[in-house]
Amino acid sequence: MNRRVPVESDFTSSLRSPAVASRVGLWLGVCFGLAFVTGLISHEAYVAHPLIAFPTRPTWGYRVTQGVHVLSGTAAIPLLLVKLWSVFPRLFARPPRALRALAMHGLERASIAVLVAAAVFQLASGLANAAQWYPWNFHFRATHDAVAWIAIGALLVHVAVKLPVIRATLGADIDATGHDRVGATTPGPVSRRVLVRSALLASAVAVLATAGSTVPALRRVSVLGVRSGRGPAGVPVNKSARAAGVVAAALSTDYRLVVAHGGREHAFTRADLEHLAQHTAELPIACVEGWSASGRWTGVRVRTLLDIAGATPGRDVRVVSLQQHGPFRETTLPGQFADDPLTLLALRLGDEPLALDHGYPCRLIAPNRPGVLQTKWVSRLEVQG
Amino acid sequence: MNAVRVTIAGLGIAMAAYGLEQLLALGPANLEATVVWLVGGVLVHDAVLAPLTVAAGLLLARLWPGRLPAAVVTGLVVVATVTLVAVPVLGRFGARADNTTLLDRNYLVGWLLLVTLTLGMAAAAALRSRPRRASSGRARTGGGSGGTSAGRR
């Protein structure tokens, strides 16, 4: 083995071919497309005033889109690696001499660099986030969203540049050699078909190994799932009362839920809330990290409290938690959610009083919303003007 | 055809520009932290993962000259994927003492189980395919790469 930097022609395996790259790339494109669209949906669900009012149905909508988001990202990991493997020799391609050709070569190189950087960034940051690991100093949600646009943009540019090769190789037999690199004629240790199938199988295994965090039927199969589904009343917890620093305030006899509207305030103890009409709803907690679990919640309709305060329908409600810190201490509940009969201030989960870690004395639970907006330890509802 | 390509590229540039604008709007400190990870990701792939894969390929070729049983390569791709995906849970980097519902499995056992099962199945498939390979001689050895694929389709 020599020690110089390799050149493209050092890679003689015919496995590293456009035929493999386009096939794996097609599946990779499907995964990135799914992750992008579901990511946009998640972003819309987060912001208080999206372009289109976020729907309250189906109740399991966000659970499905966010599950698809995280699983399509997981599925993309082996596809991206095999895709990069198949084109790795191109990294060492010699730039052309002619000025115009050199400029085009440079531009293409730059677009590929952006694409690879953004793609690896999205998958790595997403994978770590799903396990609640934040080894970085950037704001995850906003940055993951911004880089997603860069990744998809660079992907489209790449597809535009390569479209003739993509069409030709996908239209021909996988073993056709018409578009192979010059000199890449050494047979690989396996066929191209086996390589592509291996990448797809690896995707499927990665999905099965992790999907149990959101698909209850797979809980026993998903040995790498971040959550097994255990927790108080059969529902996992994202942030504990201790981590939120609310234990004393939540257990205090001074606790009151205050409903504020038009300069007037109504205060309720937990016992007061228990004496109001109780309703039960089967609704999921679905977190941005991709885990979800369904629960049977019982409590007071938010609309009932707004009626007591004299608020007309369609008003946004600011929901404030006992938490002293954190970006989701205060959230906005859009009018369509506040008025929905399934939107509760839950006092019970399953057959038990709400656990402290689930938001005792009371928590918000609404259909089709991201978990962090299902505010726990609610102390205040303010009807917006 | 050309109009299609120009349209796709134009849309791509516009989307990437929007993303860049969003990224810049998050401020210089956020940008710096992001660039470290953007560049770091490429370096980890191009300078670590890819050369390791090349080295593994060379090693495999030396240990096992000629064509490999398909199941062995498939098994290795699956094991590599599962291992990479398992890094955050094996390391338990996000674990919190006050939350027992998070990272609540024995991931080392799970990972070992997956790897053992995959390699076991790959080995079984490879062994099962051996007699057939021997009896059919060279019939399968050329397929898949040199364009001598008449018998494969």
Side-chain angles (χ1 to χ4, degrees), chain A residues 62-319:
Chain A
Y62 187 78
R63 179 180 199 182
V64 170
T65 61
Q66 200 57 18
V68 168
H69 181 76
V70 171
L71 292 178
S72 57
T74 306
I77 291 171
L79 299 175
L80 180 64
L81 291 174
V82 173
K83 172 74 172 65
L84 291 176
W85 183 88
S86 72
V87 297
F88 189 57
R90 302 287 300 150
L91 184 64
F92 305 100
R94 205 166 278 162
R97 291 277 177 87
L99 202 62
R100 204 182 125 79
L102 183 68
M104 289 310 288
H105 178 87
L107 273 179
E108 199 204 329
R109 279 271 172 135
S111 79
I112 301 271
V114 170
L115 175 57
V116 174
V120 172
F121 180 93
Q122 290 300 87
L123 297 189
S125 62
L127 182 68
N129 175 261
Q132 296 213 351
W133 179 26
Y134 298 90
W136 47 69
N137 295 318
F138 51 81
H139 182 298
F140 172 74
R141 189 168 54 82
T143 309
H144 198 69
D145 178 50
V147 177
W149 285 89
I150 297 175
I152 294 294
L155 177 61
L156 288 179
V157 171
H158 181 59
V159 168
V161 169
K162 296 290 184 191
L163 200 55
V165 182
I166 296 170
R167 290 171 69 115
T169 50
L170 288 183
D173 186 86
I174 191 169
D175 290 322
T177 55
H179 287 83
D180 284 9
R181 288 174 297 115
V182 176
T185 52
T186 312
V190 290
S191 73
R192 290 176 177 175
R193 226 171 234 108
V194 165
L195 180 60
V196 173
R197 284 181 188 160
S198 300
L200 291 172
L201 183 70
S203 277
V205 172
V207 166
L208 285 176
T210 54
S213 295
T214 186
V215 183
L218 291 175
R219 276 177 187 167
R220 304 191 60 153
V221 180
S222 296
V223 291
L224 302 179
V226 174
R227 290 162 189 279
S228 67
R230 281 186 292 266
V235 175
V237 171
N238 219 41
K239 188 170 203 170
S240 73
R242 223 178 82 203
V246 298
V247 176
L251 295 175
S252 164
T253 50
D254 293 338
Y255 168 83
R256 297 289 184 277
L257 169 76
V258 174
V259 182
H261 171 50
R264 284 195 317 187
E265 295 192 342
H266 298 255
F268 302 84
T269 63
R270 190 179 140 106
D272 295 336
L273 294 173
E274 283 167 356
H275 283 105
L276 293 171
Q278 302 291 301
H279 293 273
T280 298
E282 179 86 30
L283 292 173
I285 283 281
C287 270
V288 66
E289 294 95 349
W291 71 269
S292 62
S294 194
R296 198 162 46 78
W297 311 86
T298 302
V300 183
R301 279 180 180 154
V302 167
R303 189 62 240 175
T304 304
L305 295 166
L306 300 185
D307 283 341
I308 293 172
T312 51
R315 313 284 286 274
D316 290 357
V317 176
R318 202 163 70 100
V319 181

Side-chain angles (χ1 to χ4, degrees), chain A residues 45-70:
Chain A
Y46 263 90
V47 294
H49 299 286
L51 292 173
I52 310 157
F54 204 77
T56 62
R57 296 289 183 282
T59 56
W60 40 263
Y62 187 78
R63 179 180 199 182
V64 170
T65 61
Q66 200 57 18
V68 168
H69 181 76
V70 171

Side-chain angles (χ1 to χ4, degrees), chain B residues 51-91:
Chain B
L52 273 180
T53 316
V54 171
L58 290 174
L59 186 69
L60 208 60
R62 188 161 297 181
L63 290 177
W64 207 325
R67 271 176 105 65
L68 281 170
V72 170
V73 171
T74 304
L76 290 177
V77 172
V78 170
V79 165
T81 300
V82 163
T83 304
L84 203 59
V85 168
V87 166
V89 293
L90 281 176

